[in-house]
Amino acid sequence: MHHLYRSYGRLRVLRDVSGAVETGEVLAVTGDNGSGKSTLLRCLAGLMAPQKGTIVCRLEGRELDVIERRRAVGYVAPDLEFYGELTTLENLQFACRLRHLDDDRAGHLLQRVGLPLNRPAGKLSSGMRQRLRWAWALLHRPRILLLDEPLQNLDAKGRDEVLLLLTEQLENGLAVIANPDPLELPNVARHLHLAR
Amino acid sequence: MWRDICIWLAETATIFNKEWRTELRTRYALNTVGLFAFTTLVTTTIALGPAGISEPARPFVVVLLWMILLFAASAGLPRTFVHEEESRTAMALRLMARPSSLFCGKALYNLVLIFSLELLVAPLYIGVMQLPIGSMRHFVLALLVGGFGLALGSTLTAAMVAQAEAKGPLFAVLAFPILLPLLKFAIDATLAATADQSLLIARGEVALTLGILYDGTLMVAALMLFPAIWNP
C-alpha cells in the first residue's frame, strides 16, 4: 500500500499510510480507537476504495484486481455478521458453496474452532461468534489474512486455538493484524502505528 | 466458457436457496406480502364486489388488481437487500459472491415470491369481482410480464435503497419511475385480456410486446448497474 488517504466527509481517517508485507510475515497495525485501523483493513480487503493512493496485491506473481482481492482474502472483523436464522454449519456451507469448496470443510473448521454444528448463529455468544468469524475467514485457505481485533471476546482456550490456526496459515501466507494494543503474535515482521 | 456458466449458475442457485431457507424460518416477506394481499382483497371485495361489474367499471377493477399486486410486492420485496445491510451480513456477501450471481439469485427469489402472490391473488380476485376474461392466454401473459418486471425492478431498487440512510420512503420514490411504464403496459395488456373484442386483444399484444421489451431492458440495465451499486 502506497500513500493511502481516506476520509468520511470532513473527517480524515487515513493520512499518507504506506506499508508492505511479504509471504510468511505479519504486519501489525496498532493505534487508538478511531485512528483508522478498520478503515485500512476494509481498503485492503477491497470493501472500500481509498480516495488517494494505491494498493498492490500480488499472488503467485499476478496482480489481483479489487474483485479478485475480495474473494482471495480471509477477513475477520467485529462488524462481520452471519445469518442468525441459519445454524453455524449452514452458514459455513453457504460460504463453501459460493467459494466452490467441499461442504465437509465447514464441519472440519467448526470442530477446529470448537463450535457446535447445529446452533443458530443468532444464538451464539460474542466469543462463539468470533470463533465463527475465524472459521469463515479460513474456509478457503486464504493466502492473505486481514484480521481486525482478531482476539476480541475470545477466552484463553479460544485464543490458543485461533493462534494455532494463524501459525498454520502463515506457513504459506501473510497477515495484516489490527488491534489497539500490540498483541503477542507469531512472525510479526513489520509494525505500523496509526495516529489519530 | 461452459464451466464458467455452470459455476455462475451454481452460485446463483446457492443465493436463491439461502434466501428461501432464511425466509421459511422467519416468514417475514411471506407474512407481509400475504397479509397485505389478503387485507386489500377483502377490503376491495367488501367495498365493490361481488355484485359483478359493469363495462365502464372494468378498467377500474383491472387497475385495482395491479395496485394490489404492486403494493403487496412493495411491502415484502425490498427486504432482500435491506435486511442484509441491517443485519450486517452484506459484508460477508461482498467478500464471497459475484455481484451478477448475487443479483440474479435475489431477483429469482423475488420472482418466485411475486408469481406465488399472483397465483394466489389473481384467481381469487377474478372470482370475487366476477371479472370476465376474454383471453386467458393474454391474461396469464400479462401477469407473467408484469410480475417479472415488478420482481426485477423491486430487486434493483432494493439494492439502491439498502445503501441509503433513510430507507423507508426512498423505495417508493425510486421504484415509481422504474415501475410506472411497466405498470402501464401490464394494465393495458390485462385490460385487453379481459375484453372480448379482437381489436382490443390486438392492442393488448402491442402492450405485451412493449412490456417484454421493457423487462429485457430492465434486466440488462440491472446487470450493468448492480455491480456499481453493490460495490463501493
Side-chain angles (χ1 to χ4, degrees), chain B residues 179-210:
Chain B
L179 298 178
L180 187 67
L182 176 84
L183 279 174
K184 168 79 178 123
F185 300 140
I187 288 168
D188 284 352
T190 315
L191 207 52
T194 57
D196 201 9
Q197 299 163 30
S198 54
L199 182 67
L200 276 177
I201 288 176
R203 271 192 209 165
E205 280 185 358
V206 174
L208 267 179
T209 310
L210 288 172

mmCIF file of all heavy atoms in Angstrom, chain B residues 179-210:
data_model
loop_
_atom_site.group_PDB
_atom_site.id
_atom_site.type_symbol
_atom_site.label_atom_id
_atom_site.label_comp_id
_atom_site.label_asym_id
_atom_site.label_seq_id
_atom_site.Cartn_x
_atom_site.Cartn_y
_atom_site.Cartn_z
ATOM 1 N N LEU B 179 -40.967 1.512 -12.222
ATOM 2 C CA LEU B 179 -42.084 0.584 -12.414
ATOM 3 C C LEU B 179 -43.286 1.181 -13.155
ATOM 4 O O LEU B 179 -44.133 0.446 -13.640
ATOM 5 C CB LEU B 179 -42.546 0.030 -11.055
ATOM 6 C CG LEU B 179 -41.496 -0.787 -10.285
ATOM 7 C CD1 LEU B 179 -42.058 -1.238 -8.949
ATOM 8 C CD2 LEU B 179 -41.034 -2.008 -11.086
ATOM 9 N N LEU B 180 -43.339 2.517 -13.237
ATOM 10 C CA LEU B 180 -44.509 3.162 -13.855
ATOM 11 C C LEU B 180 -44.759 2.706 -15.308
ATOM 12 O O LEU B 180 -45.882 2.291 -15.633
ATOM 13 C CB LEU B 180 -44.386 4.690 -13.776
ATOM 14 C CG LEU B 180 -45.613 5.461 -14.237
ATOM 15 C CD1 LEU B 180 -46.798 5.234 -13.288
ATOM 16 C CD2 LEU B 180 -45.317 6.953 -14.346
ATOM 17 N N PRO B 181 -43.732 2.759 -16.201
ATOM 18 C CA PRO B 181 -44.005 2.304 -17.588
ATOM 19 C C PRO B 181 -44.449 0.854 -17.637
ATOM 20 O O PRO B 181 -45.375 0.507 -18.384
ATOM 21 C CB PRO B 181 -42.650 2.470 -18.293
ATOM 22 C CG PRO B 181 -41.843 3.348 -17.413
ATOM 23 C CD PRO B 181 -42.335 3.157 -16.030
ATOM 24 N N LEU B 182 -43.829 0.029 -16.800
ATOM 25 C CA LEU B 182 -44.168 -1.395 -16.780
ATOM 26 C C LEU B 182 -45.624 -1.602 -16.362
ATOM 27 O O LEU B 182 -46.347 -2.405 -16.969
ATOM 28 C CB LEU B 182 -43.229 -2.124 -15.808
ATOM 29 C CG LEU B 182 -43.558 -3.584 -15.634
ATOM 30 C CD1 LEU B 182 -42.920 -4.389 -16.746
ATOM 31 C CD2 LEU B 182 -43.117 -4.084 -14.298
ATOM 32 N N LEU B 183 -46.049 -0.862 -15.337
ATOM 33 C CA LEU B 183 -47.430 -0.989 -14.873
ATOM 34 C C LEU B 183 -48.415 -0.563 -15.962
ATOM 35 O O LEU B 183 -49.463 -1.178 -16.128
ATOM 36 C CB LEU B 183 -47.647 -0.142 -13.620
ATOM 37 C CG LEU B 183 -47.175 -0.788 -12.315
ATOM 38 C CD1 LEU B 183 -47.288 0.179 -11.167
ATOM 39 C CD2 LEU B 183 -47.990 -2.047 -12.007
ATOM 40 N N LYS B 184 -48.039 0.468 -16.701
ATOM 41 C CA LYS B 184 -48.895 0.941 -17.798
ATOM 42 C C LYS B 184 -49.084 -0.191 -18.819
ATOM 43 O O LYS B 184 -50.214 -0.481 -19.223
ATOM 44 C CB LYS B 184 -48.237 2.180 -18.433
ATOM 45 C CG LYS B 184 -48.810 2.634 -19.745
ATOM 46 C CD LYS B 184 -50.101 3.421 -19.572
ATOM 47 C CE LYS B 184 -50.627 3.900 -20.921
ATOM 48 N NZ LYS B 184 -51.979 3.455 -21.182
ATOM 49 N N PHE B 185 -47.967 -0.837 -19.212
ATOM 50 C CA PHE B 185 -48.060 -1.929 -20.195
ATOM 51 C C PHE B 185 -48.858 -3.107 -19.622
ATOM 52 O O PHE B 185 -49.687 -3.701 -20.319
ATOM 53 C CB PHE B 185 -46.656 -2.416 -20.607
ATOM 54 C CG PHE B 185 -45.797 -1.347 -21.228
ATOM 55 C CD1 PHE B 185 -44.441 -1.257 -20.930
ATOM 56 C CD2 PHE B 185 -46.335 -0.423 -22.119
ATOM 57 C CE1 PHE B 185 -43.639 -0.279 -21.499
ATOM 58 C CE2 PHE B 185 -45.544 0.566 -22.693
ATOM 59 C CZ PHE B 185 -44.201 0.640 -22.372
ATOM 60 N N ALA B 186 -48.592 -3.437 -18.356
ATOM 61 C CA ALA B 186 -49.265 -4.587 -17.733
ATOM 62 C C ALA B 186 -50.769 -4.325 -17.613
ATOM 63 O O ALA B 186 -51.577 -5.228 -17.881
ATOM 64 C CB ALA B 186 -48.651 -4.860 -16.361
ATOM 65 N N ILE B 187 -51.141 -3.112 -17.237
ATOM 66 C CA ILE B 187 -52.572 -2.771 -17.098
ATOM 67 C C ILE B 187 -53.246 -2.806 -18.472
ATOM 68 O O ILE B 187 -54.332 -3.390 -18.624
ATOM 69 C CB ILE B 187 -52.739 -1.395 -16.412
ATOM 70 C CG1 ILE B 187 -52.370 -1.515 -14.927
ATOM 71 C CG2 ILE B 187 -54.167 -0.865 -16.562
ATOM 72 C CD1 ILE B 187 -52.212 -0.199 -14.201
ATOM 73 N N ASP B 188 -52.592 -2.232 -19.490
ATOM 74 C CA ASP B 188 -53.163 -2.256 -20.860
ATOM 75 C C ASP B 188 -53.357 -3.691 -21.345
ATOM 76 O O ASP B 188 -54.398 -4.016 -21.923
ATOM 77 C CB ASP B 188 -52.234 -1.510 -21.831
ATOM 78 C CG ASP B 188 -52.347 0.000 -21.663
ATOM 79 O OD1 ASP B 188 -53.242 0.441 -20.906
ATOM 80 O OD2 ASP B 188 -51.528 0.732 -22.261
ATOM 81 N N ALA B 189 -52.353 -4.525 -21.111
ATOM 82 C CA ALA B 189 -52.435 -5.923 -21.566
ATOM 83 C C ALA B 189 -53.528 -6.677 -20.814
ATOM 84 O O ALA B 189 -54.270 -7.471 -21.412
ATOM 85 C CB ALA B 189 -51.079 -6.610 -21.373
ATOM 86 N N THR B 190 -53.659 -6.426 -19.513
ATOM 87 C CA THR B 190 -54.694 -7.105 -18.715
ATOM 88 C C THR B 190 -56.085 -6.629 -19.138
ATOM 89 O O THR B 190 -57.018 -7.423 -19.235
ATOM 90 C CB THR B 190 -54.469 -6.831 -17.208
ATOM 91 O OG1 THR B 190 -53.095 -7.001 -16.912
ATOM 92 C CG2 THR B 190 -55.279 -7.775 -16.332
ATOM 93 N N LEU B 191 -56.168 -5.338 -19.383
ATOM 94 C CA LEU B 191 -57.441 -4.744 -19.821
ATOM 95 C C LEU B 191 -57.897 -5.389 -21.136
ATOM 96 O O LEU B 191 -59.071 -5.743 -21.298
ATOM 97 C CB LEU B 191 -57.225 -3.238 -20.015
ATOM 98 C CG LEU B 191 -58.404 -2.305 -19.858
ATOM 99 C CD1 LEU B 191 -59.118 -2.543 -18.534
ATOM 100 C CD2 LEU B 191 -57.929 -0.856 -19.926
ATOM 101 N N ALA B 192 -56.949 -5.553 -22.046
ATOM 102 C CA ALA B 192 -57.273 -6.183 -23.337
ATOM 103 C C ALA B 192 -57.674 -7.638 -23.144
ATOM 104 O O ALA B 192 -58.595 -8.129 -23.809
ATOM 105 C CB ALA B 192 -56.061 -6.088 -24.259
ATOM 106 N N ALA B 193 -56.996 -8.318 -22.216
ATOM 107 C CA ALA B 193 -57.298 -9.738 -21.988
ATOM 108 C C ALA B 193 -58.675 -9.936 -21.389
ATOM 109 O O ALA B 193 -59.283 -10.999 -21.535
ATOM 110 C CB ALA B 193 -56.232 -10.349 -21.077
ATOM 111 N N THR B 194 -59.164 -8.907 -20.662
ATOM 112 C CA THR B 194 -60.495 -9.043 -20.055
ATOM 113 C C THR B 194 -61.604 -8.632 -21.027
ATOM 114 O O THR B 194 -62.778 -8.776 -20.718
ATOM 115 C CB THR B 194 -60.613 -8.191 -18.764
ATOM 116 O OG1 THR B 194 -60.326 -6.833 -19.092
ATOM 117 C CG2 THR B 194 -59.672 -8.676 -17.684
ATOM 118 N N ALA B 195 -61.226 -8.093 -22.181
ATOM 119 C CA ALA B 195 -62.233 -7.716 -23.178
ATOM 120 C C ALA B 195 -62.502 -8.897 -24.103
ATOM 121 O O ALA B 195 -61.669 -9.791 -24.217
ATOM 122 C CB ALA B 195 -61.724 -6.533 -23.991
ATOM 123 N N ASP B 196 -63.613 -8.860 -24.730
ATOM 124 C CA ASP B 196 -63.947 -9.965 -25.632
ATOM 125 C C ASP B 196 -63.970 -9.472 -27.082
ATOM 126 O O ASP B 196 -64.783 -9.897 -27.875
ATOM 127 C CB ASP B 196 -65.315 -10.560 -25.216
ATOM 128 C CG ASP B 196 -65.471 -11.973 -25.736
ATOM 129 O OD1 ASP B 196 -64.474 -12.519 -26.246
ATOM 130 O OD2 ASP B 196 -66.584 -12.510 -25.637
ATOM 131 N N GLN B 197 -63.083 -8.531 -27.387
ATOM 132 C CA GLN B 197 -63.073 -7.988 -28.747
ATOM 133 C C GLN B 197 -61.686 -8.167 -29.357
ATOM 134 O O GLN B 197 -60.674 -7.865 -28.697
ATOM 135 C CB GLN B 197 -63.407 -6.495 -28.713
ATOM 136 C CG GLN B 197 -64.773 -6.195 -28.139
ATOM 137 C CD GLN B 197 -64.898 -4.728 -27.750
ATOM 138 O OE1 GLN B 197 -64.278 -3.865 -28.356
ATOM 139 N NE2 GLN B 197 -65.675 -4.471 -26.721
ATOM 140 N N SER B 198 -61.632 -8.631 -30.583
ATOM 141 C CA SER B 198 -60.341 -8.935 -31.202
ATOM 142 C C SER B 198 -59.465 -7.686 -31.356
ATOM 143 O O SER B 198 -58.249 -7.744 -31.247
ATOM 144 C CB SER B 198 -60.541 -9.610 -32.558
ATOM 145 O OG SER B 198 -61.369 -8.797 -33.348
ATOM 146 N N LEU B 199 -60.116 -6.523 -31.572
ATOM 147 C CA LEU B 199 -59.350 -5.280 -31.749
ATOM 148 C C LEU B 199 -58.591 -4.941 -30.454
ATOM 149 O O LEU B 199 -57.412 -4.595 -30.477
ATOM 150 C CB LEU B 199 -60.287 -4.125 -32.126
ATOM 151 C CG LEU B 199 -59.605 -2.781 -32.376
ATOM 152 C CD1 LEU B 199 -58.726 -2.832 -33.627
ATOM 153 C CD2 LEU B 199 -60.629 -1.657 -32.510
ATOM 154 N N LEU B 200 -59.311 -5.074 -29.339
ATOM 155 C CA LEU B 200 -58.699 -4.777 -28.046
ATOM 156 C C LEU B 200 -57.586 -5.774 -27.721
ATOM 157 O O LEU B 200 -56.549 -5.412 -27.162
ATOM 158 C CB LEU B 200 -59.749 -4.799 -26.937
ATOM 159 C CG LEU B 200 -60.531 -3.497 -26.747
ATOM 160 C CD1 LEU B 200 -61.589 -3.673 -25.675
ATOM 161 C CD2 LEU B 200 -59.591 -2.353 -26.367
ATOM 162 N N ILE B 201 -57.807 -7.044 -28.088
ATOM 163 C CA ILE B 201 -56.793 -8.075 -27.833
ATOM 164 C C ILE B 201 -55.530 -7.783 -28.642
ATOM 165 O O ILE B 201 -54.415 -7.935 -28.156
ATOM 166 C CB ILE B 201 -57.364 -9.493 -28.097
ATOM 167 C CG1 ILE B 201 -58.343 -9.821 -26.961
ATOM 168 C CG2 ILE B 201 -56.266 -10.555 -28.177
ATOM 169 C CD1 ILE B 201 -59.076 -11.123 -27.080
ATOM 170 N N ALA B 202 -55.708 -7.277 -29.868
ATOM 171 C CA ALA B 202 -54.546 -6.895 -30.696
ATOM 172 C C ALA B 202 -53.777 -5.759 -30.038
ATOM 173 O O ALA B 202 -52.552 -5.755 -30.010
ATOM 174 C CB ALA B 202 -55.011 -6.477 -32.085
ATOM 175 N N ARG B 203 -54.506 -4.824 -29.439
ATOM 176 C CA ARG B 203 -53.861 -3.720 -28.710
ATOM 177 C C ARG B 203 -53.097 -4.257 -27.505
ATOM 178 O O ARG B 203 -52.024 -3.786 -27.169
ATOM 179 C CB ARG B 203 -54.918 -2.726 -28.228
ATOM 180 C CG ARG B 203 -55.207 -1.643 -29.234
ATOM 181 C CD ARG B 203 -56.018 -0.563 -28.543
ATOM 182 N NE ARG B 203 -56.875 0.090 -29.509
ATOM 183 C CZ ARG B 203 -57.893 0.863 -29.196
ATOM 184 N NH1 ARG B 203 -58.221 1.044 -27.928
ATOM 185 N NH2 ARG B 203 -58.607 1.445 -30.118
ATOM 186 N N GLY B 204 -53.713 -5.255 -26.893
ATOM 187 C CA GLY B 204 -53.074 -5.893 -25.731
ATOM 188 C C GLY B 204 -51.763 -6.548 -26.108
ATOM 189 O O GLY B 204 -50.815 -6.552 -25.324
ATOM 190 N N GLU B 205 -51.738 -7.124 -27.324
ATOM 191 C CA GLU B 205 -50.497 -7.773 -27.786
ATOM 192 C C GLU B 205 -49.377 -6.747 -27.942
ATOM 193 O O GLU B 205 -48.221 -7.034 -27.654
ATOM 194 C CB GLU B 205 -50.744 -8.538 -29.076
ATOM 195 C CG GLU B 205 -51.388 -9.875 -28.758
ATOM 196 C CD GLU B 205 -51.574 -10.773 -29.952
ATOM 197 O OE1 GLU B 205 -51.243 -10.355 -31.080
ATOM 198 O OE2 GLU B 205 -52.067 -11.895 -29.748
ATOM 199 N N VAL B 206 -49.744 -5.554 -28.406
ATOM 200 C CA VAL B 206 -48.743 -4.475 -28.513
ATOM 201 C C VAL B 206 -48.211 -4.130 -27.112
ATOM 202 O O VAL B 206 -47.003 -4.009 -26.893
ATOM 203 C CB VAL B 206 -49.354 -3.220 -29.188
ATOM 204 C CG1 VAL B 206 -48.375 -2.056 -29.173
ATOM 205 C CG2 VAL B 206 -49.776 -3.544 -30.620
ATOM 206 N N ALA B 207 -49.153 -4.013 -26.153
ATOM 207 C CA ALA B 207 -48.751 -3.694 -24.772
ATOM 208 C C ALA B 207 -47.859 -4.793 -24.198
ATOM 209 O O ALA B 207 -46.876 -4.516 -23.504
ATOM 210 C CB ALA B 207 -49.995 -3.507 -23.911
ATOM 211 N N LEU B 208 -48.213 -6.054 -24.517
ATOM 212 C CA LEU B 208 -47.405 -7.190 -24.035
ATOM 213 C C LEU B 208 -45.993 -7.135 -24.612
ATOM 214 O O LEU B 208 -44.996 -7.349 -23.893
ATOM 215 C CB LEU B 208 -48.051 -8.507 -24.447
ATOM 216 C CG LEU B 208 -48.995 -9.163 -23.444
ATOM 217 C CD1 LEU B 208 -49.558 -10.438 -24.018
ATOM 218 C CD2 LEU B 208 -48.292 -9.470 -22.128
ATOM 219 N N THR B 209 -45.902 -6.847 -25.920
ATOM 220 C CA THR B 209 -44.592 -6.758 -26.573
ATOM 221 C C THR B 209 -43.758 -5.656 -25.933
ATOM 222 O O THR B 209 -42.573 -5.846 -25.640
ATOM 223 C CB THR B 209 -44.766 -6.476 -28.087
ATOM 224 O OG1 THR B 209 -45.708 -7.404 -28.596
ATOM 225 C CG2 THR B 209 -43.454 -6.614 -28.835
ATOM 226 N N LEU B 210 -44.407 -4.517 -25.704
ATOM 227 C CA LEU B 210 -43.689 -3.402 -25.070
ATOM 228 C C LEU B 210 -43.244 -3.790 -23.657
ATOM 229 O O LEU B 210 -42.141 -3.450 -23.228
ATOM 230 C CB LEU B 210 -44.582 -2.153 -25.026
ATOM 231 C CG LEU B 210 -44.832 -1.465 -26.370
ATOM 232 C CD1 LEU B 210 -45.889 -0.376 -26.228
ATOM 233 C CD2 LEU B 210 -43.539 -0.874 -26.929
#
